[in-house]
Amino acid sequence: MRIGAIDLGTNSCRFLLVEYAGGTLQELKKGLRITRLGAGVDRNKLLSNQAIERALAAVLDFVGVMKSLQVDQVTLLGTSALREVSNAFLLAERIKEKTGLQLRVVSGAEEARLNYLGAGEEGEDSLILDIGGGSTELIWQAEGGIINYRSLDIGAVRMTERYIRDPEKEIREEDLLELEEAVRAIIREELESLPANIGRVIGLGGTITTLAAIEQQLEKYDSARIQDYLLEKGQVEEILKKLSRLSLAERRQVKGLEPGRADIIVAGIKILTTVMDIMAIKEIRASEKDLLYGAIKELAKKFGLF
């Protein structure tokens, strides 16, 4: 059986197609397109017509690819940007009309649960950290499952729009300090009295996987080299320092950095370094098994495959 999942995120649209065979899920195809669905959402609480068209085009292309590979079932998810806007139905209706797929906008709690299904490892205390375009999810897991979670309105697109005055130039230190103060205030408020023992830290989302690609200077993105790549706090801080001193045009030339992510990557990394500092995290292990993989596992269970 072949199962596909599409994630309409704040910054990008992604898909994953797997085949269930021999009791395991085997990856067949995956793809990503920068759609910036959440452009202006933090300010206007509406999807722009241009963003709707970009997202629709990506979904249609990805559905076409999966159909050509004889997919049996597809699930379509929307996250932070679609949770916030009042006109998500416009995109949902267009997608259903063109593909027959029903868009499922997941809550912060559901996003955390799907990330856990994708990245969680049984029997090991750990923190799963997912920095997205619009939000950041933190999921504490122990033997038996999730013991707590938080979904915070701090993401790479959102914080760029709020605090980075001119992403096309070198990033001003004042902008980064304001961004850090905002992240610290939110985390202090949200994380009080939560588990102190976090064990291993697993990092999800484009900011963290991009850091792994930059650190390895990958000419071409290679999932096998990203999965389980260990990033130390000092390495992350060094990349932040380097990228913040480059113009947007220069950032787009950095090996391992998707050009379409170059305008928001500094804010994303600043979120990460601030979280690592507050929570005394020394290292983080990158993972590609996020909510897409979790959504596929969930669908597979419905068909009795697990």
Side-chain angles (χ1 to χ4, degrees), residues 98-114:
K98 297 285 187 180
T99 69
L101 293 176
Q102 184 72 47
L103 174 61
R104 171 185 166 198
V105 179
V106 298
S107 66
E110 187 72 353
E111 187 171 354
R113 187 183 68 82
L114 290 172

Side-chain angles (χ1 to χ4, degrees), residues 267-278:
I269 300 174
K270 189 62 177 177
I271 293 168
L272 176 59
T273 57
T274 304
V275 172
M276 293 181 82
D277 188 46
I278 292 170

Side-chain angles (χ1 to χ4, degrees), residues 7-294:
D7 167 33
L8 278 166
T10 301
N11 185 55
S12 64
C13 180
R14 305 175 300 134
F15 85 93
L16 174 63
L17 175 64
V18 306
E19 182 168 35
Y20 180 81
T24 62
L25 295 174
Q26 299 174 3
E27 182 181 310
L28 295 178
K29 190 82 172 176
K30 69 195 311 181
L32 177 148
R33 185 178 300 176
I34 303 294
T35 55
R36 201 58 60 87
L37 182 62
V41 163
D42 186 58
R43 180 176 62 256
N44 302 319
K45 306 304 179 190
L46 290 169
L47 299 176
S48 70
N49 291 332
Q50 297 92 331
I52 289 173
E53 293 302 326
R54 291 193 298 268
L56 178 63
V59 170
L60 293 179
D61 285 350
F62 291 164
V63 169
V65 169
M66 288 191 282
K67 282 185 174 179
S68 73
L69 295 171
Q70 300 177 313
V71 66
D72 296 297
Q73 292 288 332
V74 178
T75 184
L76 173 65
L77 309 174
T79 53
S80 176
L82 291 170
R83 287 197 289 268
E84 290 186 49
V85 297
S86 59
N87 64 341
F89 68 93
L90 294 176
L91 177 57
E93 288 174 353
R94 296 280 301 282
I95 291 172
K96 188 167 186 181
E97 176 190 349
K98 297 285 187 180
T99 69
L101 293 176
Q102 184 72 47
L103 174 61
R104 171 185 166 198
V105 179
V106 298
S107 66
E110 187 72 353
E111 187 171 354
R113 187 183 68 82
L114 290 172
N115 274 322
Y116 165 72
L117 275 180
E121 298 179 5
E122 292 184 9
E124 184 172 358
D125 290 352
S126 60
L127 170 68
I128 300 170
L129 172 63
D130 175 21
I131 299 175
S135 66
T136 291
E137 276 67 46
L138 298 101
I139 306 108
W140 286 262
Q141 70 161 38
E143 189 171 356
I146 296 175
I147 57 174
N148 219 319
Y149 82 92
R150 286 292 186 274
S151 181
L152 311 176
D153 285 338
I154 47 176
V157 173
R158 187 190 303 276
M159 302 310 264
T160 297
E161 291 184 350
R162 284 187 184 180
Y163 297 103
I164 307 300
R165 287 167 176 77
D166 191 350
E168 296 201 4
K169 298 180 180 178
E170 295 181 27
I171 307 301
R172 302 189 328 157
E173 186 63 29
E174 301 96 303
D175 294 356
L176 292 178
L177 286 173
E178 285 184 32
L179 191 160
E180 179 181 342
E181 287 172 8
V183 172
R184 285 183 178 276
I186 291 170
I187 290 178
R188 275 197 301 268
E189 181 180 346
E190 292 286 343
L191 301 191
E192 191 175 351
S193 76
L194 284 172
N197 180 24
I198 58 177
R200 178 181 178 182
V201 182
I202 302 168
L204 313 179
T207 292
I208 292 168
T209 56
T210 296
L211 279 165
I214 292 172
E215 182 63 24
Q216 297 177 82
Q217 295 190 306
L218 298 184
E219 295 276 5
K220 185 178 180 182
Y221 193 86
D222 184 346
S223 296
R225 293 183 63 180
I226 300 301
Q227 183 64 34
D228 292 325
Y229 188 82
L230 192 65
L231 288 160
E232 296 179 354
K233 187 167 182 275
Q235 293 173 315
V236 175
E237 290 172 335
E238 193 59 36
I239 293 172
L240 174 61
K241 186 186 299 183
K242 172 187 173 183
L243 294 182
S244 65
R245 292 174 177 172
L246 300 178
S247 68
L248 178 58
E250 290 169 329
R251 269 177 262 138
R252 285 176 172 152
Q253 302 303 313
V254 172
K255 289 180 182 178
L257 175 54
E258 160 69 41
R261 193 180 294 277
D263 59 332
I264 63 167
I265 188 64
V266 172
I269 300 174
K270 189 62 177 177
I271 293 168
L272 176 59
T273 57
T274 304
V275 172
M276 293 181 82
D277 188 46
I278 292 170
M279 302 183 73
I281 296 170
K282 295 180 180 179
E283 59 186 27
I284 186 165
R285 192 174 298 276
S287 176
E288 290 218 316
K289 293 184 176 180
D290 55 15
L291 86 162
L292 270 182
Y293 194 72

